[in-house]
Every structure is written in C-alpha cells, then in structure tokens.
Amino acid sequence: MRPSYYMLQKELIEHKTVTRVPLFILLCGVLLFLSLMMNTNLQDNLFISVQTQGDFTPFSTEFSNDVQLMLSFMAGILSLALSTTYLSKTLRKERNEGSSAFWRSMPVTSQHTHAVKLTFGLIVIPLIFSILVLIANLCLWFISLSSDSVLILLHEHSSLLYVITSWFQFLTRMLLVSIVMLPIAGLILAVSQVSNSPLIVLFLGGYALKILSNWVLGWDGISQFLSHIYQIPTTVLLSHNPLVSFEHAGIGFLSLYALLGTLALFVSISLYRTTEISWQSLNPSWLFKK
C-alpha cells in the first residue's frame, strides 16, 4: 500500500497541470463568489430573483437542476480532457527521460506501475474535480441562504442535503465514466510508448480504419464500432441515466470493447518491461512468471 501511495504522490508532483488547472478554476470561482456576495444586484440578475408567496413551483426546480447539470458537465469534460492528456504523456515522459529504466530496477512490477497510473488518471483526477463541484455547490448554497429574495436558479441549493446528494451523484457518474474509459486508457498507454503524439495517432488511425472499412471492404461494422468507442465516455457523462448507455451499447460491443482494452494493456505492459522496443517486447512469457 505504501509504495502505491508514494507513486501516486510522484505522479501528482511530476504532472503539475493536474493540480494547476483545478486551482486556477477554484481561484476564478472564489473571485466570482466574492463578487456575488458583495453585489446583491448581480445575484438578482444572474440567478433571477423573484418575490413569491407560499410554495415554489416545480418550474423553478427544473431551472435549479439545469445549474447542477451545467456544473457537472463542465467539471466532467475538464476531468476527461486532463485524464486523457495525462495518460498520453506519463509513460512517454518516463521513456524520454530514461526514468523508466530506473523504475524497472526497483521492486515494483510493470503491472503495479500501470495500475498506479490508471488509478491516478481515472480516479484521482476525477476526484479532484469532484471537490471543485462540491465547493461550487456549497458556495451556491451559501448564496441562496444569504439572499433576502428567492433565487429561481438556486431554489434547490437551499438544501444542504441536495448539495451532498449532487456531489455523490457526480462521483458515481465519474466512476462509470472511468470504467468505460479503461480500454481507451490502455490503448493510449500502449500507443504513447511508440509515438510522441499518441492522441493524434489514435485519431488519424481510427479515421483511416473508418475509410478502409467503408470504401475498401464495403462494410461499416468497424466504423460503427469506432464511433461507439469515441462516443461512449461522453454519452455516459451527459445522459440523464448513465446506465442506459450500457444497455444501448449492447453485449457484443461491450465484449469486444473489453477485449480490445485487455489486449491494449497487455501490449502496454509488455513494451514497458523493455528498454528497446521491438516485436520481441510482446513476448507473453512474463504472464507465466510468479
């Protein structure tokens, strides 16, 4: 457990963008929060202030939910972007700097190294952005309580339970996104060890496969499969019910997708075990070693 903790710390120190981007967003959010607290007219204009008597209509609840969806969408997209960028750079950075050879000499297996990097990219980074979502909701909750008038867009944020529930829902959604991102993450890690621009290679390679399958083979099965791969993370992130995305994908696609991810992780771990990349790097003998 301790080596994993120190390795996660190392990733956090070496990849400063993962902390600097959320800190910059947090700073901007704090400045916006302070300006809203000092300017009640801005609150009224931004969140639509009304005077009302009795119960509030469900119409206001829908608007309040839209604010929450917008926060979740922005945080989720930024989290996905940072996770993808991190995964495309982490192994390439070690290989270019020569530190991968040092880590291979340490009592840490290649499988352990990959597990730590996947944990950092698919769990730690979304967790950091979930903290931003929680802080943003707490600020909106405080604004809602401190306002003398009813703010339509913050109607639901008057409840602390709603704030905690929204944060938990965002965490759950990002966990599902991380699960569907796992095969893509393995593919990015594998390609990053043979190319300095893995994201460009994957994008152009996928586009070329689409053209070949449609024009040369006259079959759009590969094209549809690749389209599903590109779309499923954002579909899970943006859909009202993320679990429905798995149902729509189908058992066939999910099985092939998982198989692709398994093969990609095997290739990535095999390449990471060697200093010089060659076809011999893909020797699966390490799978049978204790």
Side-chain angles (χ1 to χ4, degrees):
M1 190 66 183
R2 214 171 231 187
S4 299
Y5 175 74
Y6 289 130
M7 291 172 74
L8 288 173
Q9 273 191 325
K10 178 184 77 74
E11 297 299 320
L12 201 59
I13 293 171
E14 290 185 352
H15 299 272
K16 293 182 170 41
T17 308
V18 172
T19 52
R20 286 178 177 173
V21 171
L23 283 176
F24 175 76
I25 297 173
L26 179 61
L27 177 62
C28 294
V30 169
L31 293 176
L32 178 60
F33 172 71
L34 293 176
S35 64
L36 287 172
M37 292 303 298
M38 292 185 294
N39 191 339
T40 56
N41 290 330
L42 183 58
Q43 287 183 28
D44 296 342
N45 293 332
L46 189 60
F47 298 116
I48 311 177
S49 172
V50 296
Q51 299 294 330
T52 183
Q53 294 180 350
D55 296 333
F56 224 44
T57 64
F59 181 71
S60 60
T61 302
E62 182 179 345
F63 272 99
S64 184
N65 290 335
D66 288 342
V67 173
Q68 182 58 41
L69 285 174
M70 183 185 68
L71 286 174
S72 299
F73 168 75
M74 292 174 61
I77 289 296
L78 288 172
S79 176
L80 266 178
L82 270 186
S83 294
T84 305
T85 303
Y86 161 78
L87 291 168
S88 68
K89 290 182 177 180
T90 178
L91 293 182
R92 190 75 225 167
K93 184 173 181 289
E94 289 186 3
R95 190 171 287 276
N96 289 340
E97 294 176 350
S99 59
S100 58
F102 167 76
W103 285 108
R104 282 195 296 271
S105 66
M106 301 294 288
V108 178
T109 63
S110 300
Q111 299 93 305
H112 188 186
T113 300
H114 275 68
V116 168
K117 292 184 180 298
L118 289 172
T119 300
F120 188 83
L122 300 180
I123 296 179
V124 175
I125 292 178
L127 185 60
I128 291 174
F129 277 91
S130 75
I131 295 174
L132 286 182
V133 171
L134 178 61
I135 293 174
N137 279 322
L138 287 173
C139 290
L140 294 177
W141 171 69
F142 189 80
I143 292 173
S144 178
L145 291 182
S146 62
S147 177
D148 296 330
S149 57
V150 177
L151 302 176
I152 291 181
L153 296 183
L154 299 185
H155 173 55
E156 289 291 322
H157 285 82
S158 58
S159 169
L160 183 59
L161 179 62
Y162 175 82
V163 171
I164 302 300
T165 303
S166 298
W167 176 63
F168 182 74
Q169 288 176 347
F170 178 79
L171 273 178
T172 305
R173 184 180 293 268
M174 291 309 298
L175 176 61
L176 292 175
V177 171
S178 297
I179 291 174
V180 299
M181 273 289 293
L182 190 56
I184 298 177
L187 195 59
I188 294 174
L189 289 176
V191 176
S192 68
Q193 297 188 70
V194 296
S195 172
N196 289 322
S197 305
L199 297 181
I200 295 177
V201 170
L202 287 174
F203 176 77
L204 294 179
Y207 189 72
L209 280 175
K210 282 186 175 184
I211 294 177
L212 286 174
S213 66
N214 290 330
W215 292 2
V216 178
L217 301 178
W219 180 56
D220 63 348
I222 297 177
S223 178
Q224 290 181 3
F225 179 73
L226 292 175
S227 297
H228 282 312
I229 289 177
Y230 295 147
Q231 293 172 4
I232 191 169
T234 52
T235 302
V236 172
L237 176 64
L238 301 178
S239 61
H240 289 284
N241 187 355
L243 295 177
V244 174
S245 303
F246 291 93
E247 295 180 7
H248 290 168
I251 297 297
F253 166 77
L254 293 176
S255 300
L256 287 175
Y257 187 48
L259 178 61
L260 176 64
T262 303
L263 291 174
L265 280 175
F266 163 75
V267 171
S268 183
I269 294 172
S270 299
L271 294 176
Y272 188 77
R273 292 170 57 86
T274 59
T275 304
E276 296 294 332
I277 295 177
S278 65
W279 289 110
Q280 294 180 350
S281 303
L282 302 180
N283 189 338
S285 59
W286 60 269
L287 288 170
F288 308 103
K289 292 181 180 179
K290 293 184 180 180

